[in-house]
Amino acid sequence: MRLKGILSPRLDAPLPLWMIFPVVFVAVYASHFMLLRVPYYWDEAGYYIPAAWDFFRTGCLIPTTTLTNAHPPLPSIYLALWWKVSGFYPEVTREAVLMVASLGLLAVWRLPMRLLGVASVAFWTVLLTGLYPIWFAQCSLAHADIFAAACSLWGLVYALPARGRNPWAAALWFAAAALSKETAIAIPLTLVAIDIVEGFRSGAPARLKLWREAAWLSSCVIPLAAWYAYHYARTGFLFGNPEYLRYNAEATLTPLRILAAFGHRILHLTAHMNLFVPVLTAFAALLLNPRTDVEGHERPRLDRPILLRIWLLLLVNALVFSFLGGALLTRYLLPMYPLVLFLAVSVLYRRVPYWYGLTLLSAFAFFAALFINPPYGFAPEDNLSYVRVVRMHQAGIAELTKLCPAAKVLTAWPMTDELTHPELGYVKEPWDVFPVDDFTADQIARASQEPEKYSAALVFSTKDEPPSPFLNLGGEKLDERYFGLHHDLSPDLIARELNGTLVWRLDDRSLWIALIRFNHPVEARLDFGGLQN
């Protein structure tokens, strides 16, 4: 029997990580190949690319071409190094982010192997994570969240196992996560709190070990604190400009808003983008008895202390991002989705005879959600809808260039940045713009009072609205009050309110973009500063 075990290694024996990573990267690269040249989108264009671009050009860690919001600088440094070697192109940025995402998926493989030791569970957890629309989309976007998620997952690889923990290695990964996105610090601090509480409930030797681990994990706060001290010394703001702080931390502390946000977060972690498929099948599987092997032993299960830690991490993150973050962006929970999927797959493996079929069903559900939008409002960056938005904006700018050259353009963010920053990949020369917040009735009414300040309008849907107000994840009134839900006017109505002519329009499902031309005179501004001594 011993010789047979040597000649036929266990199927769940872990492969070397250096063999797994190239396979993961090739799969991720191939599945995202058509996205490599997509210009920068939304918060990429609004903050992360300008911040990295400023560091690339000037070596300054604090951005100058966009408002600083005190986000830590590790993503900017990483992207600037890639640009230094390979050039400043969207495809270089996408490839750099895919490398980080692949590193995160490698951690998704390693974590189940360390916690459960079953290769099939690790494989399906990696596959489902990679296919899950939010993770898949963020793999190609240069947001700080994918950096923080990859580092946080590696920190959990060394911090979660009951045996063989490596707290100093975990602390290094958690420090890198916090230097990528400050809110990532919630994960190690949750583990620190658990270790401290468990220390009080344990005997002297175990208590000392737990508190030593807590001290190591706590050390990951030091680099983040140093960054904030540096930022304060250079700008006078500890957590970024006051408007950013008000929107993301101060205006979010209303009890009703917190409760509503927590409801959204629970749905994000259990149902959004077809996540309900593995979650519901796992809960149904709990009604079945555990399966046994040929020798009558039950299939392995997660140790209760590890299970408790994972559940607490999910709960704390749901709570943290109910208090923080003006927008309910699902990417804030990016490191939590692999944990949800791991729990679901491990339950199916332990209790369902044909569990591969249910995991395959989840994979098909995730693949469909990449292209088929849910029947409620969502952010285009949650699946491949963001590519449609980018292509529509490119088409609109092309029509603007053809039909209204040299116009001063009324538009809203992010189009304002796309037209004024050539480095984002939409225009070759900056346009003169007249910005509005959005295309609601109130903003259009205000713009109508200053017709001399624009000669064209490039208007677009700023929200992907559900077909019915009853299909919002939360109540429409609450979403309007606390989460920025608004209703843009139609292009025809905007043109009528502004006394313009609708000269071009493009519709794609629930999204639209249109170009409006005006015949009224435009205010001219001349700059004589260069002629003065």
Side-chain angles (χ1 to χ4, degrees):
M1 290 295 293
R2 182 174 181 81
L3 181 61
K4 180 180 178 182
I6 295 175
L7 295 178
S8 302
R10 290 168 50 202
L11 292 177
D12 61 355
L15 294 171
L17 296 182
W18 63 267
M19 292 178 61
I20 299 172
F21 180 78
V23 176
V24 172
F25 178 73
V26 168
V28 171
Y29 186 90
S31 61
H32 290 77
F33 181 76
M34 301 302 294
L35 307 177
L36 294 181
R37 297 191 177 185
V38 175
Y40 301 115
Y41 169 77
W42 208 252
D43 282 347
E44 284 186 304
Y47 180 80
Y48 293 109
I49 296 303
W53 174 244
D54 288 343
F55 177 73
F56 175 67
R57 292 183 302 113
T58 68
C60 182
L61 291 174
I62 298 175
T64 56
T65 60
T66 186
L67 289 176
T68 175
N69 53 25
H71 283 327
L74 191 57
S76 294
I77 297 171
Y78 174 78
L79 292 177
L81 289 175
W82 271 79
W83 296 338
K84 188 72 173 178
V85 174
S86 303
F88 180 71
Y89 303 103
E91 54 264 41
V92 173
T93 305
R94 306 287 179 217
E95 290 165 354
V97 177
L98 289 178
M99 188 73 72
V100 174
S102 300
L103 184 67
L105 287 177
L106 190 65
V108 176
W109 163 271
R110 188 61 179 151
L111 188 61
M113 292 304 302
R114 294 202 69 189
L115 298 182
L116 200 63
V118 181
S120 54
V121 171
F123 169 80
W124 282 104
T125 303
V126 170
L127 180 65
L128 292 181
T129 300
L131 276 176
Y132 185 54
I134 297 172
W135 182 281
F136 188 96
Q138 293 301 319
C139 281
S140 61
L141 294 170
H143 295 140
D145 306 86
I146 190 67
F147 295 83
C151 295
S152 295
L153 289 166
W154 273 107
L156 292 175
V157 167
Y158 294 105
L160 270 185
R163 295 175 296 278
R165 289 180 189 167
N166 193 334
W168 68 265
L172 289 177
W173 281 109
F174 286 139
L179 286 177
S180 299
K181 187 75 178 290
E182 63 277 6
T183 50
I185 203 68
I187 294 176
L189 291 185
T190 300
L191 298 177
V192 167
I194 294 173
D195 281 344
I196 291 175
V197 171
E198 288 185 353
F200 281 114
R201 300 169 58 184
S202 304
R207 180 185 304 123
L208 183 61
K209 181 175 181 295
L210 286 168
W211 287 358
R212 188 184 301 116
E213 291 178 357
W216 269 112
L217 294 180
S218 299
S219 66
C220 69
V221 176
I222 297 174
L224 182 61
W227 160 250
Y228 278 130
Y230 173 78
H231 189 273
Y232 180 78
R234 293 294 302 272
T235 68
F237 301 129
L238 186 62
F239 298 114
N241 66 82
E243 180 60 25
Y244 170 82
L245 183 62
R246 186 203 64 78
Y247 178 72
N248 286 283
E250 295 174 358
T252 61
L253 301 181
T254 304
L256 183 58
R257 193 263 181 203
I258 293 171
L259 184 62
F262 184 69
H264 277 273
R265 292 310 187 186
I266 295 300
L267 289 171
H268 291 163
L269 288 172
T270 58
H272 188 43
M273 287 296 167
N274 290 349
L275 188 58
F276 67 87
V277 175
V279 169
L280 288 182
T281 54
F283 272 108
L286 290 174
L287 300 175
L288 304 177
N289 293 324
R291 298 178 61 207
T292 58
D293 57 24
V294 292
E295 297 178 357
H297 300 130
E298 289 187 358
R299 286 195 166 187
R301 58 168 295 171
L302 286 173
D303 296 335
R304 290 187 180 277
I306 295 175
L307 196 59
L308 175 63
R309 286 171 177 249
I310 293 176
W311 280 109
L312 285 175
L313 285 171
L314 295 173
L315 176 61
V316 168
N317 274 265
L319 285 171
V320 165
F321 293 112
S322 301
F323 283 85
L324 301 178
L328 290 174
L329 298 177
T330 56
R331 68 171 186 258
Y332 295 165
L333 298 169
L334 204 57
M336 296 296 104
Y337 299 119
L339 298 184
V340 172
L341 293 171
F342 171 50
L343 291 178
V345 172
S346 63
V347 168
L348 295 177
Y349 164 79
R350 177 172 164 80
R351 296 177 180 270
V352 178
Y354 300 103
W355 68 281
Y356 290 109
L358 294 180
T359 52
L360 192 60
L361 175 64
S362 299
F364 280 124
F366 290 170
F367 181 78
L370 283 170
F371 306 96
I372 302 174
N373 295 339
Y376 50 81
F378 73 105
E381 65 179 41
D382 288 356
N383 65 4
L384 292 181
S385 290
Y386 86 87
V387 181
R388 292 166 43 223
V389 174
V390 170
R391 298 305 186 200
M392 292 179 74
H393 284 206
Q394 287 182 299
I397 293 173
E399 292 297 322
L400 174 68
T401 304
K402 181 174 65 175
L403 299 177
C404 306
K408 182 166 184 178
V409 187
L410 180 150
T411 192
W413 187 85
M415 184 68 75
T416 50
D417 287 349
E418 295 164 4
L419 288 174
T420 56
H421 295 280
E423 66 271 14
L424 298 178
Y426 291 85
V427 297
K428 293 183 178 180
E429 296 293 336
W431 288 70
D432 197 6
V433 302
F434 176 72
V436 293
D437 292 341
D438 47 49
F439 305 109
T440 57
D442 180 62
Q443 287 293 308
I444 295 302
R446 292 182 184 180
S448 68
Q449 303 302 312
E450 302 178 286
E452 72 282 357
K453 292 188 176 180
Y454 50 86
S455 58
L458 194 53
V459 298
F460 55 93
S461 48
T462 59
K463 296 283 185 180
D464 194 323
E465 298 188 29
S468 168
F470 301 104
L471 293 176
N472 279 329
L473 279 180
E476 183 174 10
K477 295 297 184 182
L478 286 177
D479 287 356
E480 289 178 354
R481 181 177 179 182
Y482 294 116
F483 307 123
L485 177 65
H486 60 264
H487 301 286
D488 296 313
L489 298 180
S490 68
D492 297 295
L493 190 53
I494 294 173
R496 186 161 60 250
E497 291 292 323
L498 297 179
N499 296 315
T501 303
L502 184 64
V503 295
W504 175 83
R505 175 173 178 170
L506 175 64
D507 292 272
D508 187 353
R509 303 181 199 177
S510 58
L511 300 174
W512 53 263
I513 187 169
L515 178 61
I516 303 171
R517 186 162 53 195
F518 305 95
N519 294 320
H520 51 65
V522 180
E523 178 184 279
R525 293 189 178 92
L526 297 178
D527 183 6
F528 296 99
L531 301 179
Q532 298 175 355
N533 293 327

